[in-house]
Amino acid sequence: MSKKKDIADKKSQNLTNAQEEESPSWYHYVIILLVVFGVIWGISFLINVFDSTRELEVVDVINEQTQTYSYTHVVGNVTYSIELVDTLANLEKLDYSIEPSFMDILNTASYKFVFDEYNGSDNGQVTLSATKLRRYLSTVHFVRFDPDDFQTIDNLSCVNSTQVQRVVLFEVNSSLDTGVFEEENGCLRVVANNAIEMPYLMDLFIVSILKNK
């Protein structure tokens, strides 16, 4: 009787061991979860890569109160909203030279804005345009500005510029053609024949950078 009981106990033990071996352990669940998360991450990465290569997405919507046009630019999962003074089609018809490229801006570590002596005749157009450029550089290119990054022509000029630490010189009532020009040392000259042209020039400059022209 004892011998039969021993045999029965061994069979029961073997069956239990077999069941334990067949039951998935905790690390099996971990492996499965890692595979699932890996597949999800891979799909998300491919979607973001595809999105980041898309061109400028333009939504031409006028704001009746401010008479500005709203545009959106999508990079991956981030949507940048930009307000322009005119439609993109009209801005691109302007015969303004835009020399700096997207890579020029991307490879710049810091900027210093330099202004001519204010004569009270631009109705704040230069200040508004400079503020829009600063906001764009801070939001899209993560450029950090300090109070001393804004100077007058008496204290700073294009001579102090490099291609990594650029001077941006705002010039109004210039004899030069309207446009954004880049000198060899990296200085950017934002030139307008009159103050009214400055907001249009600035919007065209920002859009040109975004479109990687």
Side-chain angles (χ1 to χ4, degrees):
M1 184 69 178
S2 176
K3 189 172 182 181
K4 289 182 178 180
K5 185 176 183 302
D6 291 341
I7 294 173
D9 289 342
K10 287 183 179 180
K11 287 183 178 181
S12 177
Q13 182 65 38
N14 291 337
L15 180 60
T16 300
N17 292 338
Q19 290 176 342
E20 289 178 352
E21 290 177 359
E22 292 177 359
S23 300
S25 301
W26 63 271
Y27 58 83
H28 290 128
Y29 292 111
V30 172
I31 293 173
I32 293 172
L33 288 174
L34 288 175
V35 172
V36 171
F37 287 141
V39 172
I40 294 174
W41 180 86
I43 294 173
S44 175
F45 175 78
L46 291 175
I47 291 174
N48 286 335
V49 169
F50 173 76
D51 284 344
S52 65
T53 59
R54 292 193 301 178
E55 293 184 355
L56 178 72
E57 179 183 346
V58 178
V59 182
D60 198 7
V61 181
I62 189 171
N63 185 322
E64 297 292 348
Q65 293 182 341
T66 61
Q67 291 297 304
T68 57
Y69 293 81
S70 297
Y71 293 80
T72 59
H73 176 63
V74 181
V75 179
N77 295 324
V78 180
T79 300
Y80 299 102
S81 296
I82 308 161
E83 288 205 347
L84 306 178
V85 294
D86 204 343
T87 65
L88 182 61
N90 286 340
L91 288 174
E92 292 183 330
K93 291 177 183 178
L94 298 173
D95 189 23
Y96 297 162
S97 298
I98 306 294
E99 293 184 350
S101 67
F102 175 80
M103 294 306 298
D104 291 330
I105 304 302
L106 185 65
N107 293 328
T108 303
S110 64
Y111 295 85
K112 290 188 181 295
F113 287 9
V114 178
F115 304 89
D116 284 332
E117 184 178 352
Y118 181 65
N119 59 16
S121 64
D122 70 1
N123 294 322
Q125 299 303 320
V126 175
T127 300
L128 291 174
S129 299
T131 300
K132 177 177 281 190
L133 179 59
R134 183 193 65 180
R135 187 183 302 118
Y136 165 77
L137 293 172
S138 299
T139 304
V140 180
H141 296 274
F142 308 107
V143 177
R144 181 176 177 271
F145 284 91
D146 295 319
D148 63 351
D149 289 333
F150 306 92
Q151 301 284 343
T152 63
I153 193 69
D154 295 333
N155 299 322
L156 209 64
S157 69
C158 276
V159 176
N160 306 104
S161 181
T162 68
Q163 292 185 351
V164 178
Q165 297 176 317
R166 295 179 186 267
V167 167
V168 181
L169 178 59
F170 293 86
E171 302 177 68
V172 181
N173 301 321
S174 172
S175 59
L176 298 175
D177 293 334
T178 297
V180 181
F181 305 98
E182 182 178 15
E183 298 191 351
E184 290 185 4
N185 65 351
C187 181
L188 301 183
R189 298 180 65 182
V190 184
V191 179
N193 293 149
N194 57 71
I196 295 175
E197 291 183 332
M198 185 63 75
Y200 295 87
L201 172 61
M202 185 54 60
D203 284 351
L204 181 61
F205 178 38
I206 291 174
V207 169
S208 297
I209 297 172
L210 286 173
K211 294 183 71 175
N212 298 327
K213 284 190 174 181

